Amino acid sequence: QAQLVESGGESVQAGGSLKLSCTVSGDMLRLFSTVGWFRQAPGKEREGVAAIDRFRNTYYADFVKGRFTVSASNDLGIVDLQMNALKPEDTATYYCAAIRGGLVTSEWAQELLSSQHRGQGTQVTVSS
């Protein structure tokens, strides 16, 4: 069993910052190689945002590079997403997800979206 709980979503002005946190717990924590974030905006497909693995390798979608930073505790039990220079198009529900087993690094986003281990999401709204 695994539990993933997100927090930190709020409404902010464009250009502002937010920090999202994901707490990962349960017996399966040790089996996860990678934890990350994906998002879904109304009427749009889900998209991978960022992820981090146990070796501290980080992965980012092109649309957040230079603005978002993912970090984690040593055991991946806490995974944060620092979001700076937010834009209205960042408005979405942000979900934390964990990947069990090995990661195909070139497919990190797809593996994140396919994972059954995910939280309930936290809403981020960026107004112009």
Side-chain angles (χ1 to χ4, degrees):
Q1 292 287 345
Q3 295 80 41
L4 290 84
V5 180
E6 305 94 338
S7 62
E10 291 182 10
S11 295
V12 296
Q13 294 282 333
S17 297
L18 275 179
K19 183 178 180 180
L20 305 182
S21 288
C22 174
T23 300
V24 186
S25 60
D27 294 339
M28 293 188 66
L29 174 59
R30 61 184 176 84
L31 301 178
F32 294 141
S33 63
T34 306
V35 178
W37 297 85
F38 68 90
R39 70 187 187 185
Q40 186 166 27
K44 296 187 177 180
E45 294 189 356
R46 297 176 304 161
E47 51 188 6
V49 175
I52 185 167
D53 66 23
R54 289 190 178 274
F55 301 101
R56 292 298 178 270
N57 296 310
T58 55
Y59 310 91
Y60 294 98
D62 287 343
F63 54 80
V64 302
K65 284 182 179 178
R67 300 190 299 126
F68 292 10
T69 302
V70 63
S71 61
S73 61
N74 288 338
D75 63 352
L76 294 185
I78 299 175
V79 177
D80 293 332
L81 184 67
Q82 177 66 45
M83 307 187 294
N84 299 327
L86 284 161
K87 306 175 181 179
E89 50 264 44
D90 293 318
T91 295
T93 301
Y94 284 71
Y95 299 86
C96 177
I99 299 170
R100 179 178 177 176
L103 173 70
V104 178
T105 57
S106 61
E107 298 182 5
W108 67 268
Q110 187 57 45
E111 292 199 31
L112 208 60
L113 295 176
S114 301
S115 175
Q116 297 180 353
H117 307 289
R118 61 182 65 169
Q120 295 299 309
T122 186
Q123 178 66 38
V124 172
T125 303
V126 185
S127 57
S128 57

